[in-house]
Each structure stands twice: as structure tokens, then as C-alpha cells.
Amino acid sequence: GWVRLRDTNYGVSLNPSTKEFEGWAAGWDDSTTTAVIGWISFNCNNPELPTPRCTNDYKVMTSVSLPPSTSNLRIDTANWDACANSLYPLLAWDYSDGTQKRYQIQIATSSDFITTKICDYTAISSSHQSYPTGCPLNYNTGYNWRLKVWNTDETESTWNGSTFPTLKHAYPSIDFSWAPVKPAVNEVVKFTDNSVVYGGATKSSWLWEFQDGNPASSTVQNPTTTFASTGSKTVKLKVTDSDTFSCDKEKTLNAQSRLPQWKEIKPF
């Protein structure tokens, strides 16, 4: 006869965390009507066993670790601060089978990872499932990347690969100035947008916010406002370009008390 370890409605599997086999095998003759061995339990904890499950705590175990695996290789846009480091993507993945001990990442311009490999981050000791690459990449370009991981038993996975595009161009670099530099209370202050956009894009919108300002906000490129009280005032500018890339920046100015007024009079 024969012993089958897996079929459509039963089978034996290995639990990577306990290194114990679980499930059932079966042994029948070729007619499938006569049992050669019958059902074979690989673990006393198989849930299908009746209560009490077994008289002896038996199990089939192994000291060999299954290779870990990764999935869902992607660019993690949720944690990607494009305004701070717009060209460098945050590569991310999902890990399974125990605990990740270290990993290796390679980036190339084609899928062979031999002649076109431009970065190789080898054996990074970390359980984190993301990496902010600092590889010298070009804008508006597609790249290949692949990942290998090791578990705590130093068993390594196979390579798992994916692709990603870099941004069309850099995000706006925000800067602005104002005059007078030390405005007095209720003095008109003119703000000038000095931001730079890239990749042939143009500036499409502005959003200014003025703490304690009158007006408190503006959507023109170079607005004016006044401040009703002395002290530090936060000014924030957000610029969006024609490709909908946007960034913002805050600065602080100090509103001063007005200088005393004087006039010349005739002596008595």
C-alpha cells in the first residue's frame, strides 16, 4: 500500500514556531477501501482527536528551521516624508515564519542584479520590515529591488523581488521672507514667496497662515498682513506645484512695540 502525507481534505504541516509537525497522514491500498495503516496522527495536540486526546504526549519534531519568507514588497508611502528626502523611497515588506534577524537589499536598473546593480545593503541586523534607502537614484526612473532575510536560526530565505518608480521630480523647496524684518504692532508686513519648484513644474497655489494676523490667512503668492500684539508669531507657507506636489514650512517673526512718536515744539 501507500502512505499519503497530504490530500485535498487532510495533510501534515510543520509549525515553524514550535518546529512540530501537525495534522494527519493516511495509509490505504490502491482500492482506497482497505486500510494498510489507516489514519496516522503526527501530534498529540491534533484537534480532531477525541477527549482525552491521547494517553501519551507524542509528537513528531524537527531541529531544522524552515526558510523564512517575505511578501508584499512595496514602497511605504505612509511613512515617506517626500519633502524631507524626496528621491529616496522607503522600501517595505511583510515577514513571516518566526522572528526576522537580519536582511539584505539590492537595487539595480534591470532584473539581472549583476551588471546593473547599483546598491547592495548586506546583512543589516534588524527586525524592522522597512528600509529608507540612500541609494543614488535618478528621478522619473524605474528600478528593480530584491530582498533576502534571515531568521534567528540563521536560516535564509530565497530572493524576493519587486520594482518601483522614483518620483517624477523633487518636491517643492519652501522658503519665504518678509519686510520689515522686525515689524511693529499693526504695521503692514509684506511676505515674499521664495520657494523653488522642479522638473518643469510651475507653482499653482499658495496657502499662508499667520498667527494672530489680520488677515489670518491668504492664498495669494505675496500677501500682506498685520499683527495685533507683540511677541513671537508663527508664519506657515504651503506651496503646491502643477503636478500636485506640495510641501510647507514654518518660520517665526517677532512683532515689536511701536516706537514713541515725537514732534518739535517751540520753547517757552
Side-chain angles (χ1 to χ4, degrees), residues 77-243:
T77 56
N79 295 306
W80 183 11
D81 188 354
C83 293
N85 206 357
S86 59
L87 185 57
Y88 304 134
L90 184 66
L91 305 178
W93 60 92
D94 295 334
Y95 176 88
S96 59
D97 305 325
T99 302
Q100 175 185 289
K101 182 178 181 181
R102 55 193 177 95
Y103 58 88
Q104 180 178 0
I105 289 176
Q106 294 180 344
I107 301 176
T109 55
S110 66
S111 58
D112 61 17
F113 290 93
I114 299 174
T115 58
T116 64
K117 184 170 60 179
I118 57 176
C119 284
D120 190 350
Y121 304 100
T122 60
I124 300 173
S125 297
S126 175
S127 60
H128 292 165
Q129 295 171 32
S130 63
Y131 184 75
T133 174
C135 200
L137 307 177
N138 296 318
Y139 286 105
N140 201 26
T141 304
Y143 289 93
N144 293 265
W145 73 289
R146 63 180 183 176
L147 169 73
K148 182 187 288 187
V149 295
W150 285 259
N151 61 20
T152 53
D153 293 326
E154 288 295 333
T155 304
E156 67 181 64
S157 71
T158 58
W159 286 108
N160 190 7
S162 185
T163 60
F164 67 89
T166 52
L167 295 170
K168 182 179 180 180
H169 54 73
Y171 271 54
S173 176
I174 309 302
D175 195 18
F176 57 91
S177 59
W178 60 88
V181 176
K182 296 181 179 180
V185 171
N186 294 322
E187 183 177 10
V188 175
V189 187
K190 181 177 181 180
F191 289 86
T192 302
D193 167 35
N194 301 318
S195 304
V196 178
V197 295
Y198 301 95
T202 57
K203 300 176 187 179
S204 62
S205 67
W206 299 262
L207 178 59
W208 296 83
E209 297 177 11
F210 308 110
Q211 181 186 2
D212 195 28
N214 181 25
S217 63
S218 177
T219 57
V220 301
Q221 183 173 10
N222 301 307
T224 60
T225 193
T226 61
F227 296 95
S229 61
T230 61
S232 298
K233 310 297 180 182
T234 299
V235 179
K236 180 178 179 181
L237 170 62
K238 179 180 179 180
V239 175
T240 303
D241 69 18
S242 53
D243 290 318

Side-chain angles (χ1 to χ4, degrees), residues 24 41 43-55 58:
W24 296 78
S41 171
N43 199 309
C44 179
N45 289 321
N46 285 329
E48 296 85 355
L49 286 170
T51 303
R53 292 184 175 180
C54 47
T55 58
Y58 64 85

Side-chain angles (χ1 to χ4, degrees), residues 66-86:
L66 289 176
S69 62
T70 57
S71 60
N72 192 24
L73 274 64
R74 63 193 182 277
I75 303 297
D76 188 353
T77 56
N79 295 306
W80 183 11
D81 188 354
C83 293
N85 206 357
S86 59

